[in-house]
Amino acid sequence: SLLNQVGLPYKKMGFKPGECAVIEDSLPGIQAAKAGGFVVFAFANDRNKTAYEELGATVFFEMSELSRLIKID
């Protein structure tokens, strides 16, 4: 699967999916990341916010919000 191909670097670095963040902007990407056990942040708009939240993603609307959400100083 695509997630396995994309997800390989985390394994090589010794991380588990739950220790990694995925930033996505599509329903299929969010679904795949959540299915893989990753923490998901979704770049959203008013039309897709609810759907992304229902999938369990943390939603944000401006890239400037992301560092605060993933706690990067």
Side-chain angles (χ1 to χ4, degrees), residues 31-61:
Q31 290 169 325
K34 292 300 287 183
F38 292 90
V39 176
V40 181
F41 296 90
F43 187 58
N45 58 49
D46 290 333
R47 291 184 311 271
N48 55 28
K49 174 187 182 286
T50 301
Y52 290 178
E53 288 174 332
E54 288 174 353
L55 291 174
T58 299
V59 171
F60 66 100
F61 296 94

Side-chain angles (χ1 to χ4, degrees), residues 2-64:
L2 178 60
L3 183 61
N4 286 335
Q5 294 171 7
V6 173
L8 290 178
Y10 80 89
K11 288 181 182 179
K12 291 179 182 177
M13 294 172 59
F15 291 100
K16 296 176 184 167
E19 299 171 324
C20 302
V22 172
I23 291 79
E24 257 302 335
D25 66 349
S26 71
L27 285 171
I30 293 167
Q31 290 169 325
K34 292 300 287 183
F38 292 90
V39 176
V40 181
F41 296 90
F43 187 58
N45 58 49
D46 290 333
R47 291 184 311 271
N48 55 28
K49 174 187 182 286
T50 301
Y52 290 178
E53 288 174 332
E54 288 174 353
L55 291 174
T58 299
V59 171
F60 66 100
F61 296 94
E62 300 287 334
M63 292 304 277
S64 61

Side-chain angles (χ1 to χ4, degrees), residues 23 41 60 62-72:
I23 291 79
F41 296 90
F60 66 100
E62 300 287 334
M63 292 304 277
S64 61
E65 298 174 70
L66 191 55
S67 63
R68 177 185 52 81
L69 292 171
I70 58 177
K71 298 178 178 100
I72 295 176

